[in-house]
Amino acid sequence: MFNIILFGPPGSGKGTQSQNLIAKYGLKHLSTGDLLRSEIAFQTPLGIEAKNFMDKGQLVPDEVVIGMISTALETNPDAQGFLFDGFPRTDAQAEALDKLLQLKKTSIAVMLALDVSEDELIKRLLHRGQSSGRSDDVDEAVIRSRIHEYENKTKPVADYYKKFNKVVHIKGEGSVDEIFNLLCKEIDDRKNVDD
Ligand code: AP5
Ligand code: MG
């Protein structure tokens, strides 16, 4: 199994690059943001609770997202590997993920961290907000709150993986293809060692 965390602030391109990476490497894409939006669309109790946090640009409580990831891992026993997008976002989520992967006798191979300037993030998200229908993209104050949550609670998660020498920073500005090629190079370097 080969498991990757695609890391980075809101709007850094995690979802965009995930689509290309799962197609190339045959990984199962686990995006907690997408899972939460699906819960909201079906108006489940979990979705209704999560929406209150998401609309304000705040993180959803750890136990909610850890529970969702635990279920997703259980329901995909035959996956060749997982691509985690938007998870883990707190140290507690990182510790929980390690434990869940240990139960499956696997671990994180690498955290690929997309670096993008704050001005570019806000520009991208406001632009998407004109058409995406994502309520957290429309209001610049909510976008800034998402970035603030990232700086305070999520950025430190990279330090957790740095202790294990698993973090690689990638320039997340440029064309989608250029960034994809940089990501693939890092994956290929490690995958060959693991295979
Ligand atoms: P989530 O859905 O994870 O959103 P996010 O991380 O805030 O950011 P995005 O998904 O908007 O950005 P992205 O990095 O995927 O970039 P994308 O490829 O879309 O989370 C939403 C909310 O759910 C959170 O705020 C929180 O409330 C909750 N949540 C989720 N996970 C959680 C967790 N683990 N714990 C607690 N709460 C959680 O690209 C963005 C835009 O840029 C697109 O329009 C795209 O076309 C464009 N773009 C992409 N690449 C480029 C490029 N190279 N050049 C120019 N434009 C580009
Ligand atoms: Mg995303």
Side-chain angles (χ1 to χ4, degrees), residues 79-96:
Q80 294 172 36
F82 293 96
L83 172 58
F84 296 97
D85 158 2
F87 181 89
R89 260 169 145 106
T90 62
D91 283 346
Q93 292 178 23
E95 284 163 22

Side-chain angles (χ1 to χ4, degrees), residues 110-170:
V110 64
M111 170 187 265
L112 298 168
L114 294 168
D115 293 332
V116 178
S117 71
E118 188 167 325
D119 285 353
E120 172 72 10
L121 297 174
I122 292 172
K123 197 174 85 188
R124 286 184 190 177
L125 294 175
L126 281 175
H127 182 257
R128 185 177 61 185
Q130 294 169 6
S131 58
S132 69
R134 264 182 67 164
S135 55
D136 58 349
D137 279 349
V138 183
D139 184 342
E140 186 168 333
V142 174
I143 292 174
R144 287 194 184 276
S145 158
R146 286 160 65 194
I147 295 173
H148 189 256
E149 287 279 82
Y150 171 81
E151 291 290 334
N152 283 302
K153 297 177 184 164
T154 303
K155 216 173 172 184
V157 176
D159 295 331
Y160 177 89
Y161 290 96
K162 258 184 214 140
K163 285 188 292 202
F164 307 104
N165 230 346
K166 289 186 174 173
V167 184
V168 179
H169 285 269
I170 303 279

Side-chain angles (χ1 to χ4, degrees), residues 8-18 31-34 36-37 50 53-55 57-62 65 68-69 85-90 93 114 120-121 124-125 127-129 134 136-137 146 149 172-177 179:
S12 57
K14 302 183 295 294
T16 305
Q17 296 296 339
S18 289
S31 155
T32 38
D34 289 350
L36 289 166
R37 280 184 288 277
F53 294 94
M54 292 167 77
D55 282 352
Q58 295 170 356
L59 292 185
V60 171
D62 285 336
V65 281
M68 278 190 338
I69 287 289
D85 158 2
F87 181 89
R89 260 169 145 106
T90 62
Q93 292 178 23
L114 294 168
E120 172 72 10
L121 297 174
R124 286 184 190 177
L125 294 175
H127 182 257
R128 185 177 61 185
R134 264 182 67 164
D136 58 349
D137 279 349
R146 286 160 65 194
E149 287 279 82
E173 294 186 45
S175 76
V176 169
D177 284 350
I179 298 161

